[in-house]
Amino acid sequence: MRVLVVEDDRDLNKQICQALRDAGYIVDYTFNGEDGHHMGNTEPYDAVILDIGLPKLDGLSVLEQWRREGRG
């Protein structure tokens, strides 16, 4: 299973990614909403962990755009 983690707190991002990897997941990550939106549009993910308060583009806006684009 492939997971995208979009979290701007670098320590928390690292902890989440490590826990998911330890559980056997393939994990990609980014630290801002703009990159997260792009990655979600260009790569197939089974799940996304999406922070609400992100720089460049907040998490709710990322989710709204994905839904408008037929991704969520």
Side-chain angles (χ1 to χ4, degrees), residues 1-62:
M1 193 169 180
R2 190 168 178 196
V3 179
L4 173 62
V5 176
V6 188
E7 168 59 60
D8 61 321
D9 181 310
R10 290 182 182 269
D11 290 333
L12 181 56
N13 190 313
K14 184 177 178 179
Q15 291 172 4
I16 293 168
C17 289
Q18 189 59 55
L20 289 168
R21 286 187 188 108
D22 289 348
Y25 294 96
I26 299 167
V27 181
D28 293 329
Y29 63 91
T30 187
F31 302 106
N32 68 71
E34 201 170 81
D35 291 341
H37 177 259
H38 173 74
M39 292 173 75
N41 276 346
T42 58
E43 298 293 330
Y45 292 103
D46 299 296
V48 176
I49 296 175
L50 182 63
D51 183 16
I52 299 292
L54 294 166
K56 296 191 181 181
L57 186 63
D58 68 84
L60 289 177
S61 295
V62 171

Side-chain angles (χ1 to χ4, degrees), residues 57-68:
L57 186 63
D58 68 84
L60 289 177
S61 295
V62 171
L63 183 57
E64 288 171 357
Q65 287 184 19
W66 282 338
R67 286 183 175 167
R68 276 196 310 269

